[in-house]
């Protein structure tokens, strides 16, 4: 089913999974997907990693298994940095054959070994998909605190508007740790004539190291209230991870109470994170018990 149809009907709940890297067998990903699907999410998205870890092939296999083995809607990510139109055609063909109707159209991170070939920005990929593969429902990324490369906030909103104009059906947000940043962003979207539904992505922090890496990679700011939680958790890794899950659950319930279009949990292939998120959202009435 198309995600745009689900968003038109209700506030959604979804998870992200990433394909196994290195030696991890594909069966392991199916197992993780199975435990996420048990919460009856509206969809499960599958990330895409071009080059490097070489697991982009697995994205389609996992998305297909989510649809066919688990009877759950899947969303396949696709990055276009370094890709040709023929690469995109092949990928779209595989998805069509697998019964996957949803693509998250992304540029991907800049890397020295990857030149722009046929697509410079995600909006170019969206335009191409819209014209060459019109049956897909297309999602795109948005950045409540701005994309790390954007010189100005205005240029980021211009880029986002372009994604809408080229035919994106909805947006999925980058992670953030302060909901106020999201509420401000949502208002600014309206002022910039961006009217697409926004699915909010939340990722729990799991350790001091991990949150520092996320802050650097995604440009997410770390509010004082998060620093305090980590300090109070002390040096114990389990206490730090627990603090992160609790904080993310509070974020999710606050977002639910503030009328978001959808909630997407970056569960990092950890069923325990999905379990905690689903149970928090059931207790605050966003999900049925
Ligand atoms: P773009 O929209 O191309 O934006 C990149 C930069 O260029 C921004 O600064 C933007 O303001 C600017 N820009 C855009 N259009 C124009 C224009 N026309 N003119 C001038 N400037 C412009 N990465 C992966 O590798 N695999 C994944 O599976 C993956 N999943 C993700 C899922 C979500 C929900 C999010 C938020 C990110 C994901 N990423 C993933 C990371 C993503 O690839 C990076 O954030 C990447 O740096 C930007 O991708 P984009 O699609 O937003 O690119």
């Amino acid at each position: 089913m198309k995600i745009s149809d689900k968003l038109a009907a209700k506030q959604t709940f979804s998870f992200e999974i990433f394909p196994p890297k290195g030696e991890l067998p594909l069966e392991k990903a199916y197992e993780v997907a199975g435990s996420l699907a048990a919460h009856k999410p509206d969809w499960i998205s599958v990330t895409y990693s071009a080059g490097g870890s070489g697991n982009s092939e697995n994205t389609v296999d996992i998305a297909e298994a989510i649809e066919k083995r688990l009877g759950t809607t899947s969303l396949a990510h696709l990055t276009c940095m370094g890709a040709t139109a023929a690469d995109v055609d092949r990928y779209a063909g595989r998805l069509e054959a697998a019964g996957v109707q949803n693509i998250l159209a992304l540029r991907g991170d800049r890397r020295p070994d990857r030149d722009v070939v046929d697509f410079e920005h995600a909006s170019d990929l969206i335009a191409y998909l819209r014209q060459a593969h019109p049956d897909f429902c297309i999602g795109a990324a948005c950045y409540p605190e701005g994309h790390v490369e954007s010189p100005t906030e205005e240029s980021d909103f211009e880029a986002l508007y372009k994604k809408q104009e080229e035919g994106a059906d909805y947006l999925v947000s980058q992670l953030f740790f302060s909901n106020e940043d999201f509420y401000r962003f949502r208002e600014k979207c309206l002022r910039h004539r961006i009217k697409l539904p926004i699915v909010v992505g939340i990722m729990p922090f799991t350790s001091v190291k991990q949150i520092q890496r996320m802050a650097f990679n995604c440009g997410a700011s770390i509010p004082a209230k998060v620093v305090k939680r980590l300090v109070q958790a002390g040096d114990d890794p389990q206490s730090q991870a627990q603090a992160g899950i609790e904080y993310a659950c509070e974020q999710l319930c606050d977002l639910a109470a503030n009328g978001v279009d959808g909630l997407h949990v970056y569960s990092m292939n950890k069923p325990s994170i999905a379990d905690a998120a689903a149970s928090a959202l059931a207790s605050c009435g966003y999900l049925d018990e």
Side-chain angles (χ1 to χ4, degrees):
M1 187 173 174
K2 290 189 175 178
I3 287 173
S4 51
D5 292 335
K6 289 175 182 266
L7 282 163
K10 67 191 279 266
Q11 286 177 296
T12 59
F13 174 58
S14 50
F15 292 117
E16 179 185 277
I17 188 171
F18 51 82
K21 293 196 173 94
E23 296 302 303
L24 203 64
L26 210 47
E27 264 321 305
K28 181 72 195 152
Y30 298 152
E31 223 177 84
V32 174
S35 59
L36 302 185
H39 294 294
K40 300 198 176 358
D42 291 293
W43 71 87
I44 298 174
S45 70
V46 190
T47 65
Y48 181 95
S49 174
S53 64
N55 63 3
S56 57
E57 292 295 310
N58 292 346
T59 300
V60 180
D61 293 338
I62 297 170
E64 180 172 24
I66 290 168
E67 295 275 350
K68 294 189 177 158
R69 290 194 194 190
L70 303 169
T72 300
T73 297
S74 68
L75 164 62
H77 294 201
L78 170 63
T79 63
C80 62
M81 176 65 74
T84 63
D87 294 332
V88 171
D89 292 340
R90 262 191 303 277
Y91 189 77
R94 285 190 66 205
L95 289 179
E96 272 159 7
V100 177
Q101 294 179 278
N102 301 289
I103 294 184
L104 190 69
L106 301 149
R107 184 199 67 182
D109 285 326
R110 279 195 198 288
R111 285 193 357 202
D113 62 333
R114 225 184 285 158
D115 291 329
V116 170
V117 184
D118 284 343
F119 309 96
E120 186 166 5
H121 288 292
S123 50
D124 303 323
L125 175 63
I126 294 165
Y128 182 73
L129 286 168
R130 219 2 115 228
Q131 168 259 312
H133 304 278
D135 291 341
F136 281 103
C137 171
I138 304 170
C142 67
Y143 302 85
E145 295 184 80
H147 184 264
V148 277
E149 290 168 27
S150 298
T152 62
E153 185 178 274
E154 212 46 42
S155 68
D156 221 26
F157 277 109
E158 278 167 24
L160 197 53
Y161 185 71
K162 192 134 199 276
K163 291 180 185 184
Q164 175 177 278
E165 288 305 283
E166 296 296 1
D169 292 301
Y170 65 96
L171 302 170
V172 185
S173 88
Q174 182 59 282
L175 61 93
F176 53 85
F177 297 106
S178 174
N179 288 0
E180 286 65 37
D181 287 330
F182 176 74
Y183 301 136
R184 269 193 296 276
F185 170 75
R186 187 168 59 173
E187 275 176 33
K188 285 181 190 168
C189 279
L190 291 178
R191 270 188 266 138
H192 287 84
R193 295 174 297 141
I194 294 157
K195 297 180 180 145
L196 296 175
I198 306 174
V199 175
V200 179
I202 292 294
M203 183 187 280
F205 58 85
T206 55
S207 68
V208 173
K209 249 196 188 153
Q210 178 245 17
I211 200 170
Q212 285 170 338
R213 201 175 50 242
M214 289 199 290
F216 191 82
N217 290 345
C218 312
S221 50
I222 307 178
K225 55 192 171 186
V226 167
V227 175
K228 283 181 189 161
R229 299 271 182 121
L230 277 164
V231 169
Q232 283 157 16
D235 291 337
D236 174 39
Q238 265 190 337
S239 306
Q240 290 186 0
Q242 187 53 32
I245 291 178
E246 280 169 19
Y247 185 82
C249 289
E250 288 167 29
Q251 269 193 288
L252 288 168
C253 284
D254 179 71
L255 290 159
N258 279 280
V260 292
D261 298 312
L263 290 171
H264 187 62
V265 179
Y266 298 116
S267 45
M268 297 181 274
N269 288 10
K270 293 196 171 85
S272 58
I273 291 178
D275 296 349
S279 131
L281 287 172
S283 65
C284 67
Y286 187 84
L287 296 178
D288 294 334
E289 292 279 354

